């Protein structure tokens, strides 16, 4: 168990790191963040924040030299950065990042353990794209294999005719068949250093334009029926990777069963409700796991919960939410610029307490 007062290093500086750092500080740890220049809002709650390029070897060595354990809040931290950290400091094997950074890898990986992804094909060229359109058909989605998030780097293709208007982005892509689903859901688990796994309840997740807007509990009968199979896959993935910390797998609940979409080797937007809504939040359990502390319970505390993201300029008037009935829990991330489509905060509303 990492003693109180020890320093946790977090690679990445976004809101996930910020909420992780709050949990770490509450448990008596110090946090140092590391990320390239940007709106590193985790820095507001870190004892120190190192702003340097991912490949700045000297800065990375100085960062690692001050940490007792290192974790990440962003799955696109370059593998070269992670390999520059002395491996005994890494809370979780970097293989988890390697798999999750590439949509083709993660789908192959999940399929190996019995998961069912949407039909997909690797696309390296316009000719591959044409072949994928023939074999998989339309509608579908062309996605860059790497570096996409919140629906960025994705092109929906409703018909073969429309495919002609999709610019080939010139990087490795994946073409996926469009899944007809009832709802989306995620499985969020925490795995301790000793291999213990705990799951939070799965929310129904609503997206707009590829970005999560809302997570809702209860998630409904269809999701609840599919959670056991989805958890089984998530646990196999976590065990195989020797994962330590919070891991998220996203699914589509279809009439035919759960379809695996993607995994995030980190705390997740669809788990923000756990701060007020669960016995222990995803952020606190992530910190407990990487520090070798006992994991907290994950039980849901309320009969109903809704988490809604606050996006773009809505953040500028978000304090007005505090006038609303039902004691809404407001979280603002402290981002400097309320750009359109940018996650600026979230609000969680809970129903009556469960006994
Ligand atoms: P992703 O970045 O892969 O999580 O995609 C973002 C969102 O786009 C998903 O949460 C879905 O709402 C939607 N989406 C992505 N892929 C598919 C698919 N193959 N079929 C239907 N919807 C999809």
């Amino acid at each position: 168990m990492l003693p109180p007062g020890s320093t946790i290093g977090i690679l990445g500086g976004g809101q996930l790191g910020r909420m992780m750092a709050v949990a770490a500080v509450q448990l008596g740890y110090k946090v140092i963040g590391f990320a390239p220049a940007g709106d590193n809002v985790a820095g507001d709650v870190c004892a120190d924040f190192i702003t340097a390029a991912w490949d700045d070897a000297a800065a990375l060595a100085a960062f690692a030299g001050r940490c007792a354990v290192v974790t990440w809040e962003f799955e696109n931290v370059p593998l070269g950065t992670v390999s520059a950290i002395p491996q005994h400091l890494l809370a979780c094997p970097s293989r988890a990042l390697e798999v999750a950074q590439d949509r083709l890898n993660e789908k192959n990986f999940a399929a190996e353990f019995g998961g069912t992804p949407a039909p997909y094909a690797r696309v390296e060229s316009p000719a591959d794209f044409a072949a994928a359109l023939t074999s998989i058909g339309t509608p579908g989605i062309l996605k860059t294999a790497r570096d996409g998030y919140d629906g960025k780097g994705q092109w929906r293709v409703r018909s073969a005719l429309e495919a002609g208007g999709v610019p080939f982005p010139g990087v490795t892509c994946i073409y996926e068949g469009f899944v007809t689903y009832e709802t989306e859901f995620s499985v969020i688990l925490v795995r301790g250093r000793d291999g213990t796994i705990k799951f939070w309840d799965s929310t129904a997740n609503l997206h707009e334009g590829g970005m999560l807007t809302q997570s809702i509990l209860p998630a409904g009968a269809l999701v609840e029926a599919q959670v056991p199979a989805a958890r089984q896959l998530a646990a196999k993935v976590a065990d195989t990777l020797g994962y330590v910390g919070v891991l998220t797998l996203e699914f589509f609940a279809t009439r035919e069963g759960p379809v695996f979409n993607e995994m995030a080797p980190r705390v997740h937007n669809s788990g923000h409700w756990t701060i007020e809504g669960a016995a222990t939040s995803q952020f606190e359990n992530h910190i407990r796991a990487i520090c070798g502390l006992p994991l907290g319970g994950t039980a849901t505390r309320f009969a109903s919960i809704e988490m809604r993201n606050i996006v773009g300029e809505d953040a500028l008037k978000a304090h007005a939410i505090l006038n609303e009935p039902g004691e809404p829990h407001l979280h603002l991330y402290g981002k400097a610029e309320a750009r359109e489509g940018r996650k600026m905060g979230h609000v969680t509303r809970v129903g009556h307490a469960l006994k």
Side-chain angles (χ1 to χ4, degrees):
M1 289 199 271
L2 203 64
S6 304
T7 298
I8 299 171
I10 300 181
L11 296 167
Q15 65 265 23
L16 301 179
R18 177 180 171 104
M19 289 184 269
M20 238 186 232
V22 168
V25 167
Q26 194 176 321
L27 288 169
Y29 295 115
K30 302 227 175 294
V31 178
I32 303 182
F34 185 106
D39 203 356
N40 288 317
V41 293
D44 291 353
V45 288
C46 289
D48 198 3
F49 198 93
I50 297 175
T51 306
W54 289 127
D55 61 357
D56 184 333
L60 276 171
F63 165 75
R66 295 167 63 190
C67 298
V69 65
V70 173
T71 187
W72 52 75
E73 60 97 52
F74 171 59
E75 74 266 37
N76 289 323
V77 176
L79 292 176
T81 302
V82 178
S83 61
I85 306 284
Q87 297 301 288
H88 71 278
L89 293 183
L90 284 185
C92 182
S94 57
R95 172 105 175 95
L97 283 181
E98 198 180 326
V99 171
Q101 283 180 356
D102 186 307
R103 292 182 185 278
L104 289 153
N105 275 350
E106 69 186 350
K107 286 199 166 56
N108 290 337
F109 194 77
E112 224 178 278
F113 297 103
T116 310
Y120 65 97
R122 174 185 288 272
V123 174
E124 303 270 9
S125 63
D128 287 349
F129 186 28
L133 285 164
T134 306
S135 63
I136 293 171
T138 54
I141 308 188
L142 183 71
K143 303 178 180 177
T144 57
R146 305 179 75 90
D147 295 327
Y149 69 100
D150 288 349
K152 296 177 178 67
Q154 300 191 3
W155 297 266
R156 297 201 175 193
V157 186
R158 271 168 287 246
S159 64
L161 190 67
E162 200 180 85
V166 173
F168 179 69
V171 291
T172 301
C173 289
I174 181 172
Y175 180 71
E176 294 177 20
F178 198 84
V179 178
T180 305
Y181 54 85
E182 303 294 315
T183 182
E184 295 186 57
F185 70 101
S186 44
V187 168
I188 308 182
L189 65 77
V190 61
R191 186 171 183 278
R193 285 179 181 260
D194 63 356
T196 307
I197 289 180
K198 294 185 182 218
F199 297 96
W200 283 270
D201 279 339
S202 288
T203 54
N205 297 331
L206 275 60
H207 291 78
E208 277 171 28
M211 188 174 85
L212 182 78
T213 51
Q214 238 178 310
S215 295
I216 296 167
L217 272 179
L222 187 71
V223 169
E224 280 158 20
Q226 299 191 4
V227 161
R231 283 186 176 179
Q232 208 176 15
L233 174 65
K236 275 191 212 157
V237 166
D239 286 337
T240 305
L241 293 170
Y243 199 88
V244 176
V246 171
L247 171 73
T248 308
L249 270 73
E250 294 180 57
F251 294 89
F252 302 112
T254 75
R255 289 280 156 212
E256 291 74 43
V259 170
F260 168 80
N261 180 28
E262 63 175 355
M263 62 180 258
R266 54 167 170 76
V267 291
H268 196 259
N269 191 172
S270 65
H272 290 358
W273 66 273
T274 62
I275 298 176
E276 293 87 8
T280 313
S281 79
Q282 60 167 349
F283 301 102
E284 178 168 343
N285 260 345
H286 182 78
I287 297 298
R288 290 196 195 195
I290 66 169
C291 295
L293 303 182
L295 299 180
T298 48
T300 300
R301 296 168 56 216
F302 301 95
S304 60
I305 299 177
E306 184 218 46
M307 187 288 310
R308 193 183 279 269
N309 278 337
I310 297 168
V311 180
E313 292 198 345
D314 285 355
L316 304 178
K317 47 183 192 301
H319 282 154
I321 291 171
L322 299 175
N323 293 314
E324 293 175 10
E327 307 297 347
H329 298 280
L330 177 66
H331 298 254
L332 292 175
Y333 305 149
K335 294 184 182 177
E337 250 187 278
R339 284 198 299 273
E340 197 189 327
R342 191 166 197 220
K343 290 174 182 168
M344 302 295 292
H346 72 267
V347 58
T348 300
R349 293 181 171 86
V350 301
H352 68 79
L354 292 169
K355 291 280 175 268

